[in-house]
Amino acid sequence: NAGVMQNPRHLVRRRGQEARLRCSPMKGHSHVYWYRQLPEEGLKFMVYLQKENIIDESGMPKERFSAEFPKEGPSILRIQQVVRGDSAAYFCASSPPTGMVSYEQYFGPGTRLTVT
Amino acid sequence: GESVGLHLPTLSVQEGDNSIINCAYSNSASDYFIWYKQESGKGPQFIIDIRSNMDKRQGQRVTVLLNKTVKHLSLQIAATQPGDSAVYFCAENVGGATNKLIFGTGTLLAVQP
């Protein structure tokens, strides 16, 4: 069984460019979460999505950041006009549909974004 | 505000000893807690979880203790091995519709051979 998949694993962008991060949840999982991790810090929640719906985006910056989880295909985290402060590791997690026994979220390997 | 914090940023133990990693949380409404292990360059890996209606749960070589009175969580690792060296995070799920996790800052566990 494939776990949560993220690509690319490493992404380098110049200031002002756009970054697109992709996440494919585990098979059978319909809930996706994005977290950001700065060096030597814990993960910070950004957004929680179900298919075609944003459930909670309370952790998303108001500008330049957007996320989607279309009916078909992976979830996308999009950062427009990147700045150096966006450099971080971005992790995606997925969980089964609600009603399952566990709230456990399974994490992908992350995308490390470097803005030069 | 919401926060989950760890008392010890770094813990160094001898191989074979038991390790205890502590965590304080602040949200009384949290109903589910998870410990994750993160190795360098990798994503968090689930270790063990516990619901708020329990005070102890055991896994293979790991035990999680929950003290709701003082809002404290701990992870005990028995017979610590070099492969246990990693950063350990506690996380709380505040429940409700959001299902988001709030992570602590992490504790680095260094196992000395």
Side-chain angles (χ1 to χ4, degrees), chain B residues 70-99:
Chain B
V70 296
K71 288 187 263 185
H72 185 268
L73 197 67
S74 69
L75 175 70
Q76 300 178 1
I77 304 173
T80 312
Q81 303 169 0
D84 295 327
S85 295
V87 177
Y88 289 79
F89 294 96
C90 63
E92 61 179 312
N93 187 315
V94 299
T98 178
N99 210 31

Side-chain angles (χ1 to χ4, degrees), chain A residues 9 33 35 37 40-43 45 48 55-56 58 91 95 101-105 107-109 112, chain B residues 31-32 34 36 38 41-44 46 49 51 89 93 97-106:
Chain A
R9 295 292 309 277
Y33 313 80
Y35 294 83
Q37 185 177 34
E40 299 186 1
E41 292 190 8
L43 282 73
F45 170 80
Y48 165 34
I55 306 303
D56 180 355
S58 59
F91 291 97
S95 66
V101 174
S102 172
Y103 296 166
E104 182 181 338
Q105 295 179 20
F107 282 83
R112 278 145 188 87
Chain B
D31 61 358
Y32 179 65
I34 312 173
Y36 285 95
Q38 187 177 28
K42 297 184 179 180
F46 173 90
D49 59 0
R51 295 194 179 280
F89 294 96
N93 187 315
T98 178
N99 210 31
K100 69 181 180 184
L101 294 176
I102 300 172
F103 281 80
T105 53

Side-chain angles (χ1 to χ4, degrees), chain A residues 2-19:
Chain A
V4 177
M5 299 176 68
Q6 291 187 248
N7 68 81
R9 295 292 309 277
H10 300 273
L11 182 61
V12 179
R13 286 287 179 265
R14 291 198 179 99
R15 281 180 297 171
Q17 291 184 321
E18 177 180 289

Side-chain angles (χ1 to χ4, degrees), chain A residues 7-78:
Chain A
N7 68 81
R9 295 292 309 277
H10 300 273
L11 182 61
V12 179
R13 286 287 179 265
R14 291 198 179 99
R15 281 180 297 171
Q17 291 184 321
E18 177 180 289
R20 293 172 69 88
L21 288 61
R22 296 174 184 77
C23 169
S24 296
M26 287 181 69
K27 186 177 181 180
H29 287 191
S30 57
H31 297 194
V32 166
Y33 313 80
W34 286 93
Y35 294 83
R36 176 164 62 177
Q37 185 177 34
L38 296 173
E40 299 186 1
E41 292 190 8
L43 282 73
K44 298 284 193 257
F45 170 80
M46 299 180 74
V47 62
Y48 165 34
L49 309 104
Q50 296 176 19
K51 285 284 188 181
E52 300 184 282
N53 283 306
I54 296 175
I55 306 303
D56 180 355
E57 55 182 346
S58 59
M60 287 278 273
K62 299 299 181 187
E63 298 178 346
R64 302 188 296 109
F65 285 71
S66 62
E68 62 177 9
F69 189 17
K71 186 177 181 181
E72 301 292 336
S75 175
I76 305 288
L77 178 67
R78 182 183 178 201

Side-chain angles (χ1 to χ4, degrees), chain B:
Chain B
E2 300 171 331
S3 67
V4 177
L6 298 180
H7 297 305
L8 298 172
T10 305
L11 178 63
S12 183
V13 300
Q14 291 294 125
E15 181 178 357
D17 287 352
N18 296 333
S19 303
I20 300 176
I21 301 172
N22 297 301
C23 175
Y25 65 94
S26 60
N27 194 328
S28 300
S30 293
D31 61 358
Y32 179 65
F33 304 87
I34 312 173
W35 280 100
Y36 285 95
K37 172 186 180 184
Q38 187 177 28
E39 296 173 286
S40 180
K42 297 184 179 180
Q45 175 188 355
F46 173 90
I47 301 173
I48 192 168
D49 59 0
I50 189 168
R51 295 194 179 280
S52 59
N53 61 353
M54 304 171 67
D55 53 20
K56 181 178 180 180
R57 188 158 189 233
Q58 288 184 293
Q60 187 176 14
R61 282 202 307 119
V62 294
T63 301
V64 55
L65 300 177
L66 175 62
N67 185 331
K68 293 183 288 295
T69 301
V70 296
K71 288 187 263 185
H72 185 268
L73 197 67
S74 69
L75 175 70
Q76 300 178 1
I77 304 173
T80 312
Q81 303 169 0
D84 295 327
S85 295
V87 177
Y88 289 79
F89 294 96
C90 63
E92 61 179 312
N93 187 315
V94 299
T98 178
N99 210 31
K100 69 181 180 184
L101 294 176
I102 300 172
F103 281 80
T105 53
T107 291
L108 173 61
L109 177 64
V111 182
Q112 309 300 325

